Amino acid sequence: MRTKLNFLFLSVTVLAIFGCEQKEKEAPTKQRPNIVFIMSDDHAYQAISAYDDRLINTPNIDRIANEGMRFTNACVTNSICAPSRATILTGKHTHINGKIDNHTPFDTTQVTFPQLFKKAGYQTAMFGKLHFGNSPKGVDEFMILPGQGHYINPDFITKNGDTTITGYVTDIITDLSIKWLDKQRDPDKPFMLAYLHKAPHRPWWPRPDKFREFSKKTFPLPETLFDNYENRGTAAKTAEMNLLTHMQYGHDSKIWPETIEAMGGVEPKVEQLQASVYNEFNRGTEEQKSAYKVILDSINQDFKTRWPSMTDKEKMIWKYQRYMQDYLGSISSVDDNVGRFLDYLDESGLAENTIVVYTSDQGFYLGEHGWFDKRFIYDESFKTPLLIRWPNEIKAGTTNEEMVQNLDFAQTFLEAAQIEAPDDMQGESLMPLLKGQDDQWDREAVYYHYYEYPSVHMVKRHYGIVTKEYKLVHFYYDVDEWELYDRKKDPNEMNNVYNDPEYASVVERLHTELDELRKKYKDSSALDQRYIDIYKNRAK
């Protein structure tokens, strides 16, 4: 009897274990999420109402923050378009991936995260502005703008050759992205979609209805609009991106050349680009040009009437308002289209298992320090918007203050998709932060390096270390100057305290930490000189 009971017990145990093993084998693996990477070009965080609502309301972009996570210390490794994009694609600093500036060719032997997604069974697509190359690697389907692209009736590079599409670029890029999701992708595969806006890149052409609406608006002036750089070094004093003295009358402010000619010239004189208001305007159909011309003529009449009697201060304000009208009008269309895209995700049922990221390739000056453009390590240029929504994974409406970079995007996407990241990627996955596990994040400082000098806007070469509290910067090449900013006490970065005795210990510590970061990321004085030599040889 005992033997029969033992046999029965053993049989039940074996069956139970076997059954458990079968269930483990049959249990489905967690479904891999889709990735939608939305990036605009030169979209300042100050122009997203989730960050600051003084300039514009962006309710649709804000939806991503409200339903996900908003990062307040997201930043870039090199604040200029093509290098930033190369860093995002490769997960490596620009001195490693080779794309140090907008002119140096991208090293096509570099592995990009779309390649890894495609290899892992994802379907991949890219629509909009890439900025370099004409055949993105690892992308099943693409339609990309050549170079900077156009706002009006833009051209696109495709697998089957170039094509031109009639309409406004922001609407078109959204149409292409939604069409691919709705009609062209394989619904049985997870997807990675790069949905990349040209707007609000210079020269800022809003759609005609937005142009009409925003040309009548007046915007608050930035606190530092009339900065004289007295407590900064040579770099800030010599940069060529001042609204009054460097912003183009035609290319930027939309003044007809005939207007300036009829006025007998205007002061201050600004070196004019060959590109004028006509370069974009003449791309329009007669109907499109007619819609724009009414507004352009009104702007020109106001300029012709008021400009000659204005003081320099009044001229600066006039140029600032014109800049904001066009820049923010372009962003308003981006926000509308992001809303249209998010609505499609919701209505199609895709939203539930899709990570949506909204960011920019860097920050941008909106009149702060009297500037437009980017390039500097100073906050308006260095910081970038970053909003991430992931239903059931990211707690809605959360804010994160950790130091994160565009360097981290590739590894984050790969980990979310359960794809192993290459060992030579230099970022850190944001997954602990997305899941609210901030105690597992140990980065205290980030590294920055800008190279494109001498060049347009004349921002000197520099590298630096940034923590939540401080920013230490070294400007080099034709100068040798150091700057230190107390980010808590001086958020506008108006006072360089590098030589202040009270900060001596901070300077000493940050120098050590900067040296360590340069070693960690494999940057060096030898590499600095190598890229200087490459630049000089190219200029010959």
Side-chain angles (χ1 to χ4, degrees), residues 99-204:
K99 190 65 177 166
I100 59 165
D101 56 29
N102 278 340
H103 309 291
T104 306
F106 177 63
D107 177 4
T108 56
T109 66
Q110 293 286 326
V111 174
T112 65
F113 78 81
Q115 289 176 273
L116 299 173
F117 270 83
K118 184 175 180 180
K119 185 178 179 181
Y122 271 70
Q123 194 168 18
T124 57
M126 179 181 292
F127 300 103
K129 183 175 179 180
L130 174 61
H131 196 151
F132 60 88
N134 57 10
S135 183
K137 296 167 69 175
V139 179
D140 293 311
E141 186 63 41
F142 66 86
M143 292 185 72
I144 57 174
L145 300 166
Q148 296 288 2
H150 290 283
Y151 281 98
I152 302 171
N153 303 335
D155 305 316
F156 285 90
I157 299 168
T158 77
K159 286 184 174 180
N160 301 315
D162 294 358
T163 187
T164 301
I165 301 178
T166 302
Y168 185 67
V169 68
T170 307
D171 299 331
I172 293 169
I173 292 169
T174 307
D175 291 342
L176 295 172
S177 299
I178 292 176
K179 181 181 178 181
W180 182 80
L181 286 176
D182 195 45
K183 306 290 186 186
Q184 298 171 319
R185 69 181 178 89
D186 182 347
D188 294 325
K189 289 184 177 181
F191 63 82
M192 191 291 297
L193 169 63
Y195 164 37
L196 310 174
H197 285 294
K198 168 186 169 57
H201 193 279
R202 189 184 188 193
W204 317 300

Side-chain angles (χ1 to χ4, degrees), residues 401-414:
E401 299 179 353
E402 297 300 327
M403 300 297 299
V404 303
Q405 287 191 295
N406 57 352
L407 183 71
D408 305 321
F409 294 172
Q411 281 165 277
T412 304
F413 302 156
L414 291 168

Side-chain angles (χ1 to χ4, degrees), residues 34 185 343-354:
N34 307 308
R185 69 181 178 89
D343 287 345
Y344 172 79
L345 290 181
D346 290 343
E347 293 161 6
S348 65
L350 289 171
E352 191 69 13
N353 192 42
T354 298

Side-chain angles (χ1 to χ4, degrees), residues 229-289:
Y229 321 116
E230 64 179 347
N231 295 318
R232 260 68 50 77
T234 305
K237 294 180 175 72
T238 58
E240 296 180 358
M241 46 200 229
N242 182 270
L243 293 176
L244 179 61
T245 55
H246 300 114
M247 183 168 272
Q248 307 287 307
Y249 292 111
H251 182 63
D252 299 319
S253 297
K254 315 286 189 302
I255 302 303
W256 302 118
E258 299 93 313
T259 299
I260 293 177
E261 185 177 354
M263 294 169 68
V266 294
E267 294 292 338
K269 291 182 179 179
V270 176
E271 182 181 353
Q272 297 296 298
L273 298 172
Q274 287 184 337
S276 77
V277 63
Y278 282 117
N279 285 56
E280 196 69 34
F281 177 78
N282 282 340
R283 293 186 61 84
T285 63
E286 289 306 311
E287 182 180 0
Q288 289 168 330
K289 287 194 285 188

Side-chain angles (χ1 to χ4, degrees), residues 358-384:
Y358 188 89
T359 191
S360 174
D361 48 357
Q362 65 267 313
F364 213 68
Y365 289 105
L366 305 185
E368 298 90 358
H369 307 290
W371 290 334
F372 65 103
D373 207 70
K374 57 256 184 180
R375 301 166 194 266
F376 274 114
I377 196 174
Y378 305 137
D379 268 6
E380 292 85 2
S381 166
F382 165 74
K383 289 177 65 174
T384 192

Side-chain angles (χ1 to χ4, degrees), residues 152 205-213 215 256 281 284-299:
I152 302 171
W205 277 80
R207 201 174 58 195
D209 59 320
K210 301 290 186 181
F211 197 21
R212 187 179 305 107
E213 175 189 353
S215 67
W256 302 118
F281 177 78
T285 63
E286 289 306 311
E287 182 180 0
Q288 289 168 330
K289 287 194 285 188
S290 177
Y292 277 114
K293 192 172 185 304
V294 174
I295 309 153
L296 289 166
D297 285 345
S298 174
I299 291 166

Side-chain angles (χ1 to χ4, degrees), residues 298-395:
S298 174
I299 291 166
N300 276 257
Q301 184 58 45
D302 180 69
F303 179 83
K304 188 175 181 179
T305 302
R306 296 174 56 208
W307 191 265
S309 61
M310 286 182 181
T311 64
D312 281 352
K313 182 177 180 179
E314 290 169 333
K315 289 176 179 179
M316 182 80 152
I317 294 171
W318 190 93
K319 273 195 166 182
Y320 167 77
Q321 296 296 348
R322 271 278 50 246
Y323 172 30
M324 287 300 94
Q325 289 163 0
D326 292 351
Y327 180 90
L328 297 171
S330 300
I331 286 173
S332 184
S333 285
V334 172
D335 186 68
D336 288 348
N337 278 279
V338 167
R340 188 158 65 94
F341 185 90
L342 294 176
D343 287 345
Y344 172 79
L345 290 181
D346 290 343
E347 293 161 6
S348 65
L350 289 171
E352 191 69 13
N353 192 42
T354 298
I355 299 172
V356 176
V357 178
Y358 188 89
T359 191
S360 174
D361 48 357
Q362 65 267 313
F364 213 68
Y365 289 105
L366 305 185
E368 298 90 358
H369 307 290
W371 290 334
F372 65 103
D373 207 70
K374 57 256 184 180
R375 301 166 194 266
F376 274 114
I377 196 174
Y378 305 137
D379 268 6
E380 292 85 2
S381 166
F382 165 74
K383 289 177 65 174
T384 192
L386 178 60
L387 312 171
I388 305 179
R389 184 184 79 177
W390 189 2
N392 304 314
E393 297 290 341
I394 297 176
K395 184 180 178 182

